[in-house]
Amino acid sequence: MPPSPAASAPASRHLRLWWRRRGRAGAVAATFAAALLAAALLLSLSYFASLPLAPSSSSALVGLTLLRRAEEKGALCLDGSAPGYHLQRGSGSGSQSWLIHLEGGGWCRNLKSCASRQKSMLGSSHYMERQVEFAGMLSDDEDQNPDFHNWNKVKIRYCDGASFSGNVKDEFQNGTKFFFRGQRIWEAVMDELLLKGLRHAKQAFLTGCSAGGLATYIHCDGFRALLPKDSRVKCLADGGFFLDVEDISKQRTLRAFYSDIVGLQDLKRKFLHCSSSMEPGQCFFPREIVKDIRTPVFVLNPAYDAWQVQHVLAPEASDPQHSWQDCRLDISKCSPDQLEILQGFREELHDAMREIKQKKDWGIFIDSCFIHCQTLNSVTWHSPSSPRVNNKTMAEAVGDWFFDRREVKELDCEYPCNPTCHNLVFSKPFKG
């Protein structure tokens, strides 16, 4: 296959350095272990997307609404149940402003993993909580969420396995019912919210975390097209800028994973930016998707995304000698050689965002933390102990950008420069 542009970027040089130092032992074993990684990709990403740093006593609980006439619309979760969302009405000056959040939770790459999701809240509304906490940028507490606290806020639940993108008409796969209908879920929920007042929005903000952040890139322009031309409409993706990089064993683990998803849910025709020379999985990466986005987007990502470090850069299958075990659990325990590779990974992120940095109306907040999603947690979003870049919390940076108070391109220095980071520490790696 032709080399990717990323292959010549700094992280690849660091990976080659590591490869030379460690040798090729274990590469064959890593290939056979890839199946184990697939399950870990699914379960651990879901965990990261909802990982609490601390309880929030002031956060509201918001009830689940199931989509009306879901079966008639063909907008169904993987198991055929109705999808759902949580709506908290705005008030006062925020009564005609809307913040929509797309839930994350990994993907399923084959019928076996999608069947597992059918028996969970990631594939069936039968397993979804009837109430969820609205915290961070969904909070109605002005101290916790100064710019968006009184807006209409919606959390759309994720149950299709492909970032709200599939639209496969056939319900049967190998004799078993599967509903790959993420695109229809997106459209049907939007239609319902438009009738509930979204169509009159003077301001609207589409956001998402992790797999929901990827969905935000995918649907940003479509969201803009639904709303009045004179309304202020922007998008934000939190922890959704997944990188197409080689892991420490020189495999492109996430690209292979994405290729399976694209094939399973027939997604390639959805992505017009894809050329015939590209592998199917490449179409699903934000670096490609953002090339065609016209609506302003805020990219919020940690430079050392904990999920990507564990499952894209140094997945267990790529490390049969377990030399990365401690580093994957706690960034402070990484060796100098491993930190060199992590700094290369950070440079890969900056390289992938090179064009975004030139877009005056786009925003960026890249901190140097070892974490994943950050906007739905009261501690990381806006609190006295929140991570800061250039002395700004992410809530302050996002608010300044959304309301055009200033241009926002907050790019943190290299780890371990930022003492305000909340770096996650794990007791053990996540397994499927």
Side-chain angles (χ1 to χ4, degrees), residues 291-312:
K291 293 177 181 178
D292 293 326
I293 299 177
R294 299 181 301 277
T295 307
V297 178
F298 194 100
V299 181
L300 195 157
N301 242 77
Y304 311 94
D305 187 296
W307 187 86
Q308 293 200 60
V309 169
Q310 290 196 359
H311 299 286
V312 179

Side-chain angles (χ1 to χ4, degrees), residues 320-355:
Q321 305 304 317
H322 306 296
S323 59
W324 275 75
Q325 177 94 341
D326 290 343
C327 181
R328 292 169 73 244
L329 301 178
D330 182 349
I331 194 172
S332 70
K333 295 183 179 179
C334 296
S335 70
D337 285 355
Q338 290 166 340
L339 282 176
E340 185 181 13
I341 292 173
L342 289 175
Q343 303 304 4
F345 184 78
R346 171 182 176 270
E347 291 175 35
E348 287 274 17
L349 176 64
H350 282 269
D351 180 67
M353 294 177 58
R354 187 171 57 247
E355 294 178 15

Side-chain angles (χ1 to χ4, degrees), residues 56 66 80 233 271 281 316 373:
S56 179
L66 295 179
V233 181
F271 299 117
E316 287 186 72
C373 291

Side-chain angles (χ1 to χ4, degrees), residues 139-158:
S139 174
D140 60 0
D141 183 337
E142 186 173 2
D143 291 334
Q144 185 183 140
N145 191 22
D147 283 309
F148 309 108
H149 65 280
N150 63 345
W151 284 30
N152 298 283
K153 295 182 289 292
V154 183
K155 181 175 183 177
I156 302 177
R157 303 303 296 269
Y158 176 41

Side-chain angles (χ1 to χ4, degrees), residues 75-137:
L76 301 167
C77 296
L78 285 169
D79 72 332
S81 61
Y85 59 89
H86 304 260
L87 167 62
Q88 183 183 65
R89 288 290 186 178
S91 62
S93 61
S95 60
Q96 289 186 293
S97 298
W98 288 73
L99 191 155
I100 313 293
H101 182 84
L102 300 175
E103 184 180 38
W107 311 271
C108 54
R109 72 188 300 179
N110 52 41
L111 296 183
K112 182 178 179 181
S113 58
C114 290
S116 295
R117 291 176 78 101
Q118 287 181 326
K119 299 177 178 63
S120 77
M121 64 182 181
L122 293 172
S124 172
S125 59
H126 297 315
Y127 298 90
M128 292 177 184
E129 314 97 306
R130 265 35 200 175
Q131 289 185 316
V132 297
E133 183 183 60
F134 271 23
M137 75 182 310

Side-chain angles (χ1 to χ4, degrees), residues 11 34 37 49 54 116 134 175 198 207 219 223 265 296 307 338 368 424-425:
L37 176 64
S116 295
F134 271 23
L198 178 61
T207 74
H219 291 294
F223 182 66
Q265 299 215 22
W307 187 86
Q338 290 166 340
S368 60
L424 296 180
V425 177

Side-chain angles (χ1 to χ4, degrees), residues 211-381:
L214 176 59
T216 299
Y217 292 119
I218 292 169
H219 291 294
C220 185
D221 280 343
F223 182 66
R224 162 71 272 187
L226 295 172
L227 300 168
K229 292 183 178 179
D230 61 349
S231 58
R232 183 197 303 266
V233 181
K234 298 184 180 184
C235 305
L236 176 149
D238 174 14
F241 207 93
F242 296 97
L243 294 178
D244 182 14
V245 297
E246 293 178 341
D247 64 28
I248 58 173
S249 68
K250 305 295 287 180
Q251 303 299 310
R252 289 189 182 267
T253 300
L254 192 57
R255 185 191 291 186
F257 192 90
Y258 277 179
S259 290
D260 287 348
I261 298 165
V262 170
L264 181 67
Q265 299 215 22
D266 194 22
L267 301 181
K268 187 159 187 179
R269 60 183 175 180
K270 179 178 179 62
F271 299 117
L272 301 179
H273 59 267
C274 281
S275 68
S276 57
S277 63
M278 294 172 66
E279 292 183 38
Q282 290 178 272
C283 308
F284 213 43
F285 282 97
R287 183 174 189 163
E288 298 301 326
I289 296 170
V290 299
K291 293 177 181 178
D292 293 326
I293 299 177
R294 299 181 301 277
T295 307
V297 178
F298 194 100
V299 181
L300 195 157
N301 242 77
Y304 311 94
D305 187 296
W307 187 86
Q308 293 200 60
V309 169
Q310 290 196 359
H311 299 286
V312 179
L313 179 64
E316 287 186 72
S318 70
D319 183 33
Q321 305 304 317
H322 306 296
S323 59
W324 275 75
Q325 177 94 341
D326 290 343
C327 181
R328 292 169 73 244
L329 301 178
D330 182 349
I331 194 172
S332 70
K333 295 183 179 179
C334 296
S335 70
D337 285 355
Q338 290 166 340
L339 282 176
E340 185 181 13
I341 292 173
L342 289 175
Q343 303 304 4
F345 184 78
R346 171 182 176 270
E347 291 175 35
E348 287 274 17
L349 176 64
H350 282 269
D351 180 67
M353 294 177 58
R354 187 171 57 247
E355 294 178 15
I356 294 174
K357 293 175 185 177
Q358 306 307 314
K359 296 185 178 185
K360 188 175 178 62
D361 58 347
W362 284 45
I364 301 174
F365 188 99
I366 306 295
D367 59 35
S368 60
C369 307
F370 184 65
I371 195 168
H372 189 43
C373 291
Q374 301 177 83
T375 56
L376 294 193
N377 191 287
S378 58
V379 175
T380 50
W381 174 245

